[in-house]
Amino acid sequence: MADLMPVRVLIVDDDALVRSGLSMMLAAFDEIDVVGAISDGTEVAAAVNTYRPQVVLMDIRMPGMDGLTATADLRRRRDPPEVVVLTTFDTDEHVRRAMQVGASGFLLKHEPPGDIARAIRRAAEGEPIFTPSVLRQVMGLAGKHGQGPGRDRALERLRRLSPGETEVAQLIADGRTNQEIGIELRMSTATVKAYVTRIFAKLGLTNRVQVAILVHESR
C-alpha cells in the first residue's frame, strides 16, 4: 500500500491508555495516519473540523457525549467522515443504535492490529467493515430480529431491488468487497459501486452495514 495516501484517522475514546495504545499500534502501518486522539463525544465536531479525518474510530461509552450520539451528529454533516464504532458488543441495543445512526461498521477493541488497520482502509474506501468475529455478531443480531413480522418487513423492502441489485446486496451481507463482488458477478468495480449506490437509494439506507443487517433479517 506504499503507493496509496495514508488514511487520516481520528481516535475518540475516554480511556487514555486505549487512545495511546491505538495510536502506537496504528503508527506501525504506513497506510494509517492518526491525526488526532480525543476523549469525549463533545469534542468530535471541533476535532473533525480541525483534522479532517477520513475515518473516526468511535468508542461508545464516554462521560460527556456518548459515541452513538456523536456518530449521529457527524453523519448529519455534509460529506461526513466514515465512523467505525469500537465496541465490546456488550448489548444488542448498542449494536442496533450504531447501525441506525449510520456507523460504517464495528470493531472489537481486542481485534489483531492488522485486522483493525485493514478495516480502517476498507472504511475509507466505502467497503464493509466485518472482521470474522464481528460478522458472527451481526448475523446473530439479525437472526434475533429476523423472525415473523421482522422477516416479512425485510423481505418486503428487499423486493424494491432488481434481480441484479439483489445479488449485490446478498454479497454485501456476506462481507464481500466491491472487487470481490465484481469478480463473482463478472462486473467492473465501477459497475458494482453504481449498484451499491442504487441499493442505498432504493432501501433508504446509508451504508453497507445497514444493507447487511436487512439481508440477514430476511434470511
Side-chain angles (χ1 to χ4, degrees), residues 1 4-8 29-33 54 121:
M1 294 191 180
L4 297 177
M5 291 294 292
V7 176
R8 297 171 61 82
F29 296 89
D30 292 338
E31 66 267 31
I32 306 296
D33 179 15
Q54 295 162 270
R121 169 60 70 183

Side-chain angles (χ1 to χ4, degrees), residues 96 100 142 144-161 202-203 205 213-219:
R96 287 197 299 275
Q100 291 165 353
K144 292 180 182 179
H145 299 278
Q147 301 174 2
R151 182 173 185 271
D152 292 341
R153 285 194 296 269
L155 286 168
E156 183 62 29
R157 290 182 70 185
L158 289 172
R159 290 191 186 101
R160 303 172 191 173
L161 303 181
K202 287 187 176 182
L203 297 179
L205 302 176
I213 292 287
L214 185 66
V215 170
H216 283 299
E217 286 177 345
S218 75
R219 290 177 174 174

Side-chain angles (χ1 to χ4, degrees), residues 68-187:
L68 298 177
T69 302
T71 297
D73 288 348
L74 270 186
R75 296 304 296 174
R76 285 192 287 266
R77 296 166 64 113
R78 179 177 296 180
D79 193 23
E82 299 296 335
V83 178
V84 177
V85 171
L86 290 166
T87 180
T88 55
F89 281 92
D90 50 346
T91 69
D92 287 350
E93 181 60 27
H94 285 158
V95 181
R96 287 197 299 275
R97 283 193 60 205
M99 176 197 71
Q100 291 165 353
V101 299
S104 302
F106 311 94
L107 283 177
L108 303 182
K109 290 183 180 179
H110 61 259
E111 296 286 358
D115 287 352
I116 293 177
R118 280 189 292 274
I120 289 170
R121 169 60 70 183
R122 289 175 71 171
E125 295 172 350
E127 298 286 4
I129 313 303
F130 293 136
T131 58
S133 57
V134 170
L135 182 57
R136 287 192 295 272
Q137 293 279 1
V138 170
M139 290 177 68
L141 176 62
K144 292 180 182 179
H145 299 278
Q147 301 174 2
R151 182 173 185 271
D152 292 341
R153 285 194 296 269
L155 286 168
E156 183 62 29
R157 290 182 70 185
L158 289 172
R159 290 191 186 101
R160 303 172 191 173
L161 303 181
S162 70
E165 291 161 354
T166 298
E167 285 187 296
V168 171
Q170 295 287 343
L171 292 173
I172 288 173
D174 292 337
R176 304 289 191 89
T177 66
N178 285 342
Q179 183 178 22
E180 290 167 345
I181 293 172
I183 292 171
E184 176 79 15
L185 301 181
R186 298 183 179 180
M187 298 177 180

